[in-house]
């Protein structure tokens, strides 16, 4: 019977192995070939989509190029003209790069450069028009870069070249895009035919394998399984009684040995009596506490620690929780005096009904505990440092506020006060009987009164401009730049790029106003600048304000040490104010290249 069975197994499974290897290899080969063909074609399709996209973009770029060139002929503002020139230069660069990449390929744009003969011929026809527009555009840019004040008449011939060739370029480029699209559709059609063929071939292959491999194999397997089931039933019947007798004992012994070995070798494991004396300590526990041999009835607390206070804590934990169990952290020490932190689980159990024990399962968390203690120490130090820093900033703010109040009082006393005193004396000295002198003094009094009014308005403007409360941040900044430009004689301009005119809450507006005022005053007082530009722009979520000057600049690293006051109180106030309204402040400067201060304020939060 054994000989027949071995022969049956060998014969059946050898045949099954050969048949399944053949079937699966055939299917795998079919799938691999199909995937290779399809992936190759999909990669070509991906390249086609990029080519069509870039080719279509060329039409848009040529129109943009023409539009920017035409805008040069109508733009009278110097700054705007230079901006249009820079945009034209960038557009021309992209247009030329894309045109060359469509013909010769480009890795950065993902263009293969493998055009059909028809497309290549169309590009050859287009290149003369392209070259004319390119040359005319480059000449216009070059003339503006040589002299930004060049007249429109000097550019008219080049502008006419662009206008005359632009429509021809669009027509020819449109034909190229259509040809690219037509060729891509032909490839898609070919892919459909390929997929249909592969699907048909796969179905035929599966049908053949089912008829000549799987169906005959299923019959053979069914017959073999029937014979094996019959033999298995007979063998099970013979061994059933013996298995029942030994199974339970063998299983229990194996589990006990495996558990004991695993706990002894891998865990910090010990067994204690309910009063805390050690019955058994695992090898890893003994190694951790550097015990060469453990055979002592000492208490567990004395084994793992030499410190009396720690021993008392451990003994108290065992005494209070010997019936309910416990889990927590314990501080211990080895024979060398090194502190060891353990995460301990104490579990009561009864191995024999007459006796109870405590299982100790622990893990060494010394490194984690040391890291936690170090983090607590550093956190405390960091908190104290921040508090000290905040105290310094607060004291400096209060000191600066006192200085500002003293300055305002001095301005009022020395300026407006003295003028009012002069007004009083002049009024008292008028002799209405001397009409000529009275008329002269009245004229002088009018002039003095006008100066007093001007001084009052200046002081009021410096404190809180009425435009801020009445109309909002944009009118207030407009007034600020106009007044400072008039008073200092410098070019101070405000540009509202996105026509922002929204209102923010009063605290946000006054903080934004003071930051901009501080930045402009810094540029006037310390930067020796002649031009200051304030630019506003906004999106749905952000209001951005940029203050640029053409002053002497500085090294930003020298003002970043706010902790020690090296940054100056001006920068400290600006940072404190922007932080108060949840905004962000960026400072960029280079020596002899000017300074840029950027404010970003979230609109949804203010």
């Amino acid at each position: 019977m054994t000989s027949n069975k071995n022969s049956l197994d060998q014969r059946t499974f050898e045949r099954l192995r050969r048949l399944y290897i053949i079937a699966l290899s055939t299917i795998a080969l079919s799938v691999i070939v199909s995937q290779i063909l399809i992936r190759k074609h999909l990669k070509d399709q991906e390249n086609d989509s990029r080519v069509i996209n870039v080719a279509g973009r060329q039409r848009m770029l040529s129109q943009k190029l023409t539009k920017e060139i035409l805008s040069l002929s109508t733009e009278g503002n110097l700054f705007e003209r230079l901006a249009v020139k820079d945009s034209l230069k960038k557009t021309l660069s992209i247009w030329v790069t894309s045109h060359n990449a469509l013909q010769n390929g480009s890795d950065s744009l993902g263009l293969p450069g493998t055009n059909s003969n028809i497309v290549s011929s169309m590009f050859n026809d287009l290149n003369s028009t392209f070259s004319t527009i390119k040359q005319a555009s480059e000449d216009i840019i070059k003339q503006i870069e040589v002299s930004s004040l060049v007249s429109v008449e000097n550019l008219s011939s080049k502008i006419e070249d662009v206008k005359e060739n632009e429509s021809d370029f669009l027509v020819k480029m449109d034909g190229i895009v259509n040809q690219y699209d037509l060729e891509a559709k032909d490839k898609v059609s070919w892919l459909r035919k390929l997929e249909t063929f592969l699907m048909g071939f796969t179905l035929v292959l599966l049908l053949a394998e089912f008829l000549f491999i799987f169906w005959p194999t299923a019959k053979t397997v069914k017959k073999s399984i029937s014979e094996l089931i019959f033999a298995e039933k007979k063998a099970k019947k013979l061994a059933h009684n013996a298995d029942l007798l030994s199974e339970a004992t063998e299983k229990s012994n194996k589990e006990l040995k495996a558990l004991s070995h695993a706990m002894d070798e891998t865990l910090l494991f010990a067994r204690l009596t309910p009063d805390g004396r050690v019955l058994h300590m695992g090898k890893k526990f003994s190694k951790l506490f550097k015990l060469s041999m453990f055979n002592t009835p000492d208490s567990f607390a004395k084994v793992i620690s030499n410190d009396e206070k720690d021993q008392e804590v451990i003994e108290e934990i065992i005494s209070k929780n010997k019936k309910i169990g416990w889990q927590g952290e314990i501080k211990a020490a080895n024979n060398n005096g090194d502190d060891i932190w353990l995460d301990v689980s104490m579990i009561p159990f009864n191995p024999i009904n007459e006796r109870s024990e405590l299982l100790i399962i622990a893990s060494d968390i010394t490194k984690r505990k040391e890291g936690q203690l170090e983090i607590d120490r550093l956190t405390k130090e960091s908190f104290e440092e921040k508090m000290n820093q905040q105290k310094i900033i607060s004291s400096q703010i209060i000191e600066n506020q006192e200085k500002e109040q003293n300055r305002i009082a001095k301005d009022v006393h020395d300026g407006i006060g003295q003028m009012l005193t002069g007004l009083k004396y002049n009024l008292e000295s008028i002799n209405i009987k001397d009409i000529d002198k009275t008329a002269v003094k009245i004229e002088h009094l009018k002039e003095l009164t006008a100066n007093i009014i001007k001084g009052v308005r200046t002081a009021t403007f410096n404190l809180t401009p009425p435009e801020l409360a009445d109309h909002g941040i944009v009118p207030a900044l407009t007034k600020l730049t106009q007044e400072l430009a008039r008073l200092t004689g410098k070019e101070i301009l405000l540009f509202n790029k996105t026509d922002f005119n929204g209102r923010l809450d009063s605290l946000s507006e006054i903080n934004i106003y003071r930051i901009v005022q501080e930045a402009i005053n810094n540029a006037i007082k310390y930067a020796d600048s002649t031009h200051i530009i304030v630019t506003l722009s906004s999106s749905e979520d952000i209001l951005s304000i940029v203050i640029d000057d053409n002053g002497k600049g500085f090294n930003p690293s020298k003002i970043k040490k706010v902790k020690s006051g090296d940054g100056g109180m001006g920068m400290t106030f600006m940072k404190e104010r922007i932080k108060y309204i949840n905004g962000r402040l960026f400072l960029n400067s280079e020596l002899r290249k000017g300074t840029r201060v950027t404010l970003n304020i979230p609109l949804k939060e203010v």
Side-chain angles (χ1 to χ4, degrees), residues 120-131:
S120 297
S121 175
M122 296 174 76
F123 266 114
N124 290 335
D125 184 42
L126 176 65
N127 282 336
S128 60
T129 303
F130 168 82
S131 298

Side-chain angles (χ1 to χ4, degrees), residues 157-217:
S157 62
K158 300 300 180 181
I159 294 174
E160 287 300 321
D161 289 344
V162 174
K163 290 169 61 179
E164 291 174 359
N165 288 275
E166 193 261 347
S167 60
D168 187 39
F169 179 88
L170 286 176
V171 172
K172 292 179 180 180
M173 197 67 219
D174 192 57
I176 292 174
V177 173
N178 291 334
Q179 182 62 30
Y180 275 135
D181 185 58
L182 180 63
E183 292 176 359
K185 289 179 179 179
D186 291 338
K187 292 180 181 179
V188 172
S189 176
W190 183 87
L191 179 61
R192 291 196 187 98
K193 294 177 182 179
L194 175 62
E195 289 177 338
T196 303
F197 170 78
L198 292 175
M199 181 180 67
F201 176 79
T202 303
L203 292 175
V204 172
L205 180 62
L206 291 174
L207 179 61
E209 289 182 349
F210 174 78
L211 293 176
F212 298 105
I213 296 178
F214 293 110
W215 181 248
T217 300

Side-chain angles (χ1 to χ4, degrees), residues 465-476 500-504 509:
E467 288 81 8
L468 187 62
D470 296 340
H471 305 293
I473 187 64
V474 176
F500 176 80
N501 60 357
R503 292 300 305 267
L504 312 178
E509 289 185 338

Side-chain angles (χ1 to χ4, degrees), residues 95 99 126-138:
W95 187 60
H99 185 82
L126 176 65
N127 282 336
S128 60
T129 303
F130 168 82
S131 298
T132 300
I133 297 176
K134 174 176 175 289
Q135 186 61 48
S137 301
E138 290 175 344

Side-chain angles (χ1 to χ4, degrees), residues 236-276:
K236 283 183 178 181
K237 188 175 180 180
L238 295 173
H240 181 67
N241 292 331
D243 290 341
L244 289 176
L245 293 174
S246 61
E247 182 178 356
T249 303
E250 183 179 358
K251 182 178 180 181
S252 299
N253 289 335
K254 286 182 178 180
E255 290 179 351
L256 184 59
K257 290 179 181 179
L259 180 60
S260 177
H261 178 75
M263 295 179 70
D264 233 15
E265 295 291 336
T266 62
L267 295 177
L268 297 174
F269 166 70
R271 291 167 47 222
L272 313 179
T273 63
D275 59 357

Side-chain angles (χ1 to χ4, degrees), residues 15-26 213-214 217-218 221:
R15 181 182 178 190
L16 288 175
R17 185 178 65 83
R18 289 197 306 270
L19 292 175
Y20 273 100
I21 289 175
I22 294 172
L24 294 177
S25 298
T26 304
I213 296 178
F214 293 110
T217 300
V221 170

Side-chain angles (χ1 to χ4, degrees), residues 277-403:
R277 289 182 295 106
V278 177
L279 294 174
H280 171 76
M281 182 169 282
K283 293 180 180 179
K284 195 170 182 180
F285 228 139
S286 300
K287 183 178 179 181
L288 178 63
F289 287 91
K290 303 185 184 302
L291 301 172
S292 58
M293 180 182 296
F294 184 79
N295 187 15
T296 175
D298 257 345
S299 68
F300 180 68
K302 293 181 179 179
V303 170
I304 67 173
S305 179
N306 295 324
D307 186 272
E308 292 183 359
K309 292 183 179 179
D310 291 340
Q311 290 176 1
E312 290 177 1
V313 171
I314 297 170
E315 289 174 352
E316 185 179 0
I317 290 173
I318 294 174
S319 175
K320 288 184 178 180
N321 300 282
K322 60 185 178 182
K323 293 184 179 180
I324 59 175
W326 181 82
Q327 195 279 330
E329 297 179 358
I330 290 177
K331 182 182 179 184
N334 59 22
N335 289 337
N336 294 337
D338 300 328
D339 289 340
I340 298 175
W341 285 88
L342 300 176
D343 187 357
V344 177
S345 296
M346 183 174 66
I347 306 168
F349 83 115
N350 298 310
I352 304 175
N353 291 334
E354 299 86 27
R355 187 182 70 187
S356 62
E357 295 181 2
L358 295 175
L359 283 181
I360 300 294
I361 301 175
S363 58
D364 185 359
I365 60 169
T366 303
K367 292 184 178 179
R368 187 183 76 188
K369 192 68 176 180
E370 290 174 351
Q372 181 181 344
L373 294 174
E374 180 65 14
I375 289 173
D376 292 342
R377 184 184 68 80
L378 293 175
T379 301
K380 183 178 179 182
E381 290 180 357
S382 176
F383 175 76
E384 292 176 352
E385 181 182 358
K386 288 182 179 178
M387 289 300 294
N388 291 333
Q389 176 188 350
Q390 191 61 39
K391 289 179 181 178
I392 293 172
I393 293 174
S394 298
S395 65
Q396 290 175 333
I397 289 173
I398 293 171
E399 180 182 352
N400 200 69
Q401 288 175 340
E402 289 296 325
K403 290 181 179 179

